[in-house]
Amino acid sequence: MSALQLADIIGIISFALSGFLIAVHYKLDILGIFISSFLTALGGGMIRDVISNKTPYIFTHTTPIILVLATILLSFIFKLHNINNLEGKIAFIVSDAIGLSSFAITGSLVAIDNDFNLLGILMLAFLTAVGGGTTRDILINNVPFILISEFYATVSIIVGLITYILHFFDLVSIFSLTLVFIFGTSLRLLAYYKKWHLPKL
């Protein structure tokens, strides 16, 4: 299994869970839960593939769909829809941080495979990481998370930059990308709990 495939699987599962949790928080019905989970988990990847001039991965492979369905099913089995608000918020933040870092890595790797320049790599890392969540938030009439959250989208850009540097020095490997993933996830969680913000006008 390649680093890209591994990061994609982790991202899909994590974002499917965060989509499930936020749908439960807003008391959506069963269809709404499925739509929220699928959009969050697969929306960013579709944007990534379209920009890379490829047929979206979910239209040619069944693995992403199976992963999302399995995540939703397990969430129901373990009654995650019944957890209290505080536990739900913690689970959402953690799963969303994991998905953010994973998808930023996949966006970077796809951009590198397509010989994008530095700007292209950063943009694809950003769009892959936040595209699904932003689409979900718009659909449920909520202000997109990237516009109000502390140091959220910035993490995807930082992860993209580090991945580019690794590629520049020919250091991309599952081990090095695992370290980038851990760093990105930790940075997002730290920024959330420390309430870090970018400067405002």
Side-chain angles (χ1 to χ4, degrees):
M1 182 179 293
S2 68
L4 175 60
Q5 291 172 322
L6 182 60
D8 214 35
I9 289 172
I10 294 172
I12 288 172
I13 293 173
S14 301
F15 270 160
L17 178 58
S18 73
F20 174 89
L21 292 170
I22 204 161
V24 170
H25 175 74
Y26 283 99
K27 295 180 172 55
L28 304 185
D29 60 17
I30 295 296
L31 178 60
I33 290 174
F34 274 89
I35 291 175
S36 177
S37 296
F38 271 92
L39 269 181
T40 310
L42 306 177
M46 291 180 65
I47 295 171
R48 174 198 66 204
D49 293 339
V50 169
I51 292 177
S52 302
N53 199 29
K54 296 179 180 178
T55 302
Y57 186 73
I58 65 168
F59 294 157
T60 58
H61 296 75
T62 57
T63 302
I65 298 173
I66 292 173
L67 288 173
V68 176
L69 289 175
T71 302
I72 295 172
L73 179 61
L74 289 173
S75 297
F76 277 117
I77 290 175
F78 288 103
K79 301 185 183 300
L80 297 186
H81 53 290
N82 290 332
I83 60 179
N84 62 51
N85 286 336
L86 179 59
E87 290 175 332
K89 186 175 183 179
I90 293 172
F92 171 76
I93 293 299
V94 173
S95 63
D96 203 59
I98 292 172
L100 180 75
S101 296
S102 299
F103 271 7
I105 290 173
T106 68
S108 303
L109 293 177
V110 169
I112 289 170
D113 287 342
N114 284 273
D115 297 321
F116 285 16
N117 61 16
L118 175 58
L119 177 61
I121 292 171
L122 297 182
M123 286 298 296
L124 206 59
F126 169 80
L127 291 172
T128 306
V130 306
T134 301
T135 306
R136 172 204 65 209
D137 291 341
I138 292 172
L139 187 65
I140 63 177
N141 197 29
N142 197 25
V143 178
F145 206 51
I146 62 172
L147 299 180
I148 57 175
S149 182
E150 312 87 349
F151 214 70
Y152 183 78
T154 311
V155 173
S156 65
I157 296 174
I158 293 173
V159 169
L161 179 60
I162 296 174
T163 307
Y164 168 79
I165 293 172
L166 290 175
H167 167 68
F168 186 82
F169 290 103
D170 198 24
L171 295 174
V172 173
S173 66
I174 290 182
F175 176 73
S176 63
L177 291 176
T178 299
L179 294 180
V180 175
F181 165 74
I182 293 172
F183 170 76
T185 303
S186 301
L187 179 62
R188 168 58 193 145
L189 293 175
L190 184 63
Y192 175 80
Y193 287 108
K194 292 289 186 179
K195 300 190 183 301
W196 288 347
H197 292 272
L198 291 176
K200 298 180 180 179
L201 297 180

